[in-house]
Amino acid sequence: MAVRKPRPLARAALEFVNAANGLRPLARRGYSTVLVFWFGWPTSEVPGLYFSASLLDALRRGRRGDFAGRRGKAALAFTAASWAILAVIRYRGVTTPGPVLEGGLREQLGPDYNEELATLPTEPSRPTRVGRRNLPLRTTVARRRFVDKSNIVSYGPHGRANLADIWRRRDLPRDGKAPVLVQVPGGAWVIGWRRPQAYPLMGHLVSRGWICVSLNYRVSPLHTWPDHIVDVKRALAWVKENIADYGGDPDFVAITGGSAGGHLAALAALTPNDPKFQPGFEEADTSVAAAVPIYGRYDWFSTDGDGRREFIDLLEKFVVKKKFATHGDVYLDASPIREVRADAPPFFVLHGADDSLIPVGEAREFVEELRAVSKSPAAYAELPHAQHAFDIFGSPRAHQSAEAVARFLSWVYATSYLGRD
C-alpha cells in the first residue's frame, strides 16, 4: 500500500488563502460568493481557533521534517504569513466594532443616552454577572442554561415548524413583566431553524432579566411565500397573548433576526396588523416596540446590482415560486424598504462592511428610507471587516454587538415607560 506523500507547500498555501479570505472576501459577485462566505466566515470571527489548530499541526509536521529543504521553508513562510493575518483579524475584531456601534447609537439616540439609561426604569431585575471572557464556544451552553423542556412551546398549527424556545432566567418571577425580544432565524428562507442562532445576544439579554423567544417557521421549497412571514406574525400574536404566563411583558415586545430573519423582522415591524399577512388571525395584535434587523435583505424587487439577478432567481424558483415579471406585486409587498412608514417603531440596523452574501448597500438604502419617513430613531452600525452572520459565534464582535443591541433595546424600553400611566 502506497504511503501518501506530504505536500507541505500546497497545504500551507491553502492555509494562507483561507486566512486572506477571512481578512477580506476574495469574491463579491456571482455564486462563488457562497463558497467564499462559508470558508471566510469562521476565519473572520474565530481566528484564534484556526491559529491554535494550525500551530499544533505545524509542530507535528515540523517534527516529521515537512519544513526541511527549500520547499519546506517556503511552506513554513506561508504558514507564518497566515498566522500574521489571523493576528490582524483578531485585533480588528476586538478593536473596531465598539466605537462604530456606540457611534451609531449616539447619532440617533443622543450623546447622553447612556446617562439617560442610568436614571430611567429599565430591566425589571438586576442583571446577573456573567463571565467577561468572550470564549467562542461558551455560547453553545447558553440554551441549556436558560431553556428547559417546559419552555419549548408550539405557537401554531404546523408542528415542528411552529416550535419556539422561551429563554428566561430561572429566578425570574412569573409575574415579572420582563421585556421581551422575539428572535427570527435566518437561512435564505429555506432553513429557518432556531438553533443555534443569536445565542450571544439572547444569552446577554436574558442574563439582564429579559425574556427571549426564538422560533422556527415554515420554509421553502416545501412551503411558499408568504408562509414565512405569516408564521412570524402568528408567533408575535402568540407572544402577546401568552408571554405573561412566563413572566414577560406583552406590552413590550421587540423583534430581531439575521439575514432572512432580518428581512422577516423588518417586514413584521413595518406591517403591524396587516391582514394580508395574518390570514385567520386578522384581529390579533402583531405590533412591536422596536426592531433590530441584522445583515438582512430589505429589497425583493431590484434587479440591478451585484448578486441581484441571482437573488431574484432564488426567490422565483424556491421561495415565491412565481415569476417576478408577472407577479411583481408579491415581491414589492415582501420588501421592507417599500413599507417604511412615519409611525415605524425605533430601528437599529446592523450590517457587516465585508458581507459577501448581502451587499452592505442594501442596509444603507434601507436606513436612508427609514430616516426620511419614520419619526422614530433609525440607528445604524456598519461594522468594519465583518462578514455575513458575524453574530453567531461567540466572538468579540458578536459580544460587542450584543451589548450594543442591549443598550438600544433598554433605551427604547426605558423611554417607552415614560409615557405610561
Side-chain angles (χ1 to χ4, degrees):
M1 182 176 179
V3 178
R4 188 173 180 180
K5 185 177 180 180
R7 298 181 181 274
L9 187 56
R11 186 170 185 158
L14 185 61
E15 280 189 304
F16 179 81
V17 171
N18 178 62
N21 187 41
L23 184 71
R24 182 176 177 81
L26 299 179
R28 295 175 183 266
R29 296 182 180 181
Y31 292 108
S32 62
T33 58
V34 177
L35 188 63
V36 163
F37 161 70
W38 281 111
F39 279 98
W41 165 47
T43 313
S44 65
E45 290 306 312
V46 285
L49 292 181
Y50 277 88
F51 170 75
S52 298
S54 177
L55 177 61
L56 291 174
D57 189 56
L59 292 173
R60 179 184 65 83
R61 289 184 289 145
R63 292 181 61 184
R64 191 173 62 185
D66 285 2
F67 299 129
R70 188 166 61 181
R71 293 175 65 87
K73 289 182 173 58
L76 185 59
F78 268 118
T79 298
S82 70
W83 293 346
I85 293 174
L86 292 174
V88 172
I89 294 172
R90 168 69 181 179
Y91 176 79
R92 294 192 318 189
V94 171
T95 60
T96 61
V100 172
L101 290 160
E102 183 65 12
L105 292 176
R106 287 176 177 271
E107 180 188 6
Q108 288 292 299
L109 307 186
D112 298 327
Y113 86 96
N114 264 318
E115 289 76 5
E116 195 174 28
L117 276 180
T119 62
L120 294 174
T122 53
E123 287 84 5
S125 56
R126 301 298 297 173
T128 298
R129 292 293 297 174
V130 294
R132 300 304 302 163
R133 294 182 65 198
N134 294 331
L135 300 177
L137 300 180
R138 180 166 60 86
T139 55
T140 61
V141 300
R143 183 179 171 277
R144 295 182 183 179
R145 180 182 176 191
F146 294 123
V147 182
D148 58 38
K149 290 183 179 180
S150 65
N151 291 342
I152 302 173
V153 302
S154 175
Y155 68 83
H158 300 289
R160 291 175 61 84
N162 286 169
L163 291 179
D165 291 344
I166 299 179
W167 290 51
R168 64 187 301 277
R169 277 183 15 201
R170 289 182 172 87
D171 63 343
L172 183 70
R174 291 285 172 170
D175 60 352
K177 297 199 73 174
V180 181
L181 179 70
V182 173
Q183 153 65 22
V184 186
W189 304 272
V190 299
I191 299 177
W193 185 245
R194 66 192 188 277
R195 305 170 190 165
Q197 300 192 38
Y199 281 15
L201 174 59
M202 292 192 293
H204 184 71
L205 281 174
V206 173
S207 73
R208 293 170 61 92
W210 286 59
I211 286 180
C212 293
V213 181
S214 178
L215 56 96
N216 293 346
Y217 54 86
R218 286 174 290 169
V219 294
S220 301
L222 182 61
H223 300 282
T224 303
W225 181 265
D227 289 350
H228 318 64
I229 187 64
V230 170
D231 281 358
V232 172
K233 294 277 194 170
R234 192 184 302 277
L236 286 171
W238 185 94
V239 168
K240 293 291 188 77
E241 294 171 3
N242 296 277
I243 203 62
D245 295 338
Y246 297 87
D249 183 356
D251 294 326
F252 190 92
V253 178
I255 193 168
T256 187
S259 195
H263 160 260
L264 293 167
L267 186 63
L270 293 169
T271 58
N273 312 325
D274 191 330
K276 70 174 176 286
F277 294 140
Q278 298 181 203
F281 57 106
E282 291 87 353
E283 302 304 315
D285 180 13
T286 58
S287 61
V288 297
V292 184
I294 305 174
Y295 45 83
R297 283 276 188 189
Y298 310 108
D299 175 351
W300 273 29
F301 59 87
S302 297
T303 56
D304 296 330
D306 292 346
R308 292 299 310 179
R309 187 64 256 175
E310 294 89 343
F311 173 57
I312 298 297
D313 286 344
L314 168 73
L315 296 178
E316 287 181 330
K317 293 175 182 176
F318 298 107
V319 182
V320 179
K321 302 173 188 173
K322 296 176 181 178
K323 290 293 184 182
F324 175 76
T326 56
H327 294 83
D329 58 319
V330 177
Y331 294 80
L332 291 172
D333 288 344
S335 300
I337 198 169
R338 296 279 297 202
E339 300 288 348
V340 295
R341 47 197 291 161
D343 61 347
F347 267 75
F348 185 19
V349 179
L350 290 80
H351 211 103
D354 280 352
D355 193 320
S356 61
L357 293 185
I358 301 178
V360 67
E362 282 214 20
R364 296 171 187 163
E365 292 171 6
F366 178 59
V367 172
E368 287 177 7
E369 290 294 321
L370 264 178
R371 289 177 174 175
V373 175
S374 175
K375 296 179 181 179
S376 298
Y380 176 56
E382 186 173 305
L383 299 179
H385 320 299
Q387 245 293 5
H388 198 72
F390 60 80
D391 64 329
I392 292 181
F393 293 107
S395 64
R397 184 182 284 117
H399 284 281
Q400 291 181 55
S401 297
E403 290 165 359
V405 170
R407 293 197 299 275
F408 168 76
L409 291 174
S410 295
W411 182 88
V412 177
Y413 177 66
T415 56
S416 74
Y417 267 81
L418 287 179
R420 296 191 182 187
D421 301 326

